[in-house]
Amino acid sequence: MVVAEMLDELKGKALRDEKLKKELLDTRKEKNPMTAFCKKCQSLGYPVYEMDLIEAGEEFYATMRRSTNGGGENSPMLEGEDDFYELFFAGLE
């Protein structure tokens, strides 16, 4: 399962379970929130690591850029589409 699928599945579970939702949201209060979030994911059986989140977002963004106008200089700038971590929490709140 790829990172996006794992995050979608986890978000679905969190939306049905208030305790889990709170635990995930609370990771944002930690000194290293992304690390805390990834550790929580791992404890739940989802092998999500910081670099996986970053790489997945960048890969998705690059694919989107290539698919619009051939990915050249005139491709539209997409904002926020490359941050799976923030998109996860946006969908959770």
Side-chain angles (χ1 to χ4, degrees):
M1 189 177 329
V2 297
V3 172
E5 292 170 343
M6 288 188 277
L7 293 178
D8 282 343
E9 187 174 304
L10 184 57
K11 182 171 49 179
K13 288 181 179 181
L15 291 172
R16 293 186 301 274
D17 181 343
E18 281 298 317
K19 182 181 179 222
L20 176 58
K21 180 179 177 179
K22 181 180 179 340
E23 290 173 357
L24 291 168
L25 290 170
D26 284 348
T27 64
R28 297 177 85 182
K29 299 174 186 172
E30 298 291 326
K31 181 179 178 183
N32 295 307
M34 189 179 288
T35 300
F37 172 74
C38 289
K39 285 183 180 181
K40 183 63 182 173
C41 290
Q42 294 162 19
S43 75
L44 296 168
Y46 296 94
V48 176
Y49 297 89
E50 292 94 335
M51 285 308 299
D52 293 337
L53 284 174
I54 294 166
E55 183 179 89
E58 289 178 355
E59 184 177 311
F60 178 78
Y61 181 76
T63 301
M64 291 292 291
R65 293 267 306 174
R66 284 190 302 271
S67 72
T68 56
N69 272 347
E73 293 295 320
N74 295 323
S75 294
M77 294 300 293
L78 304 172
E79 292 191 27
E81 296 295 325
D82 62 339
D83 194 340
F84 280 22
Y85 175 76
E86 289 298 329
L87 288 171
F88 175 85
F89 284 107
L92 200 58
E93 295 176 324

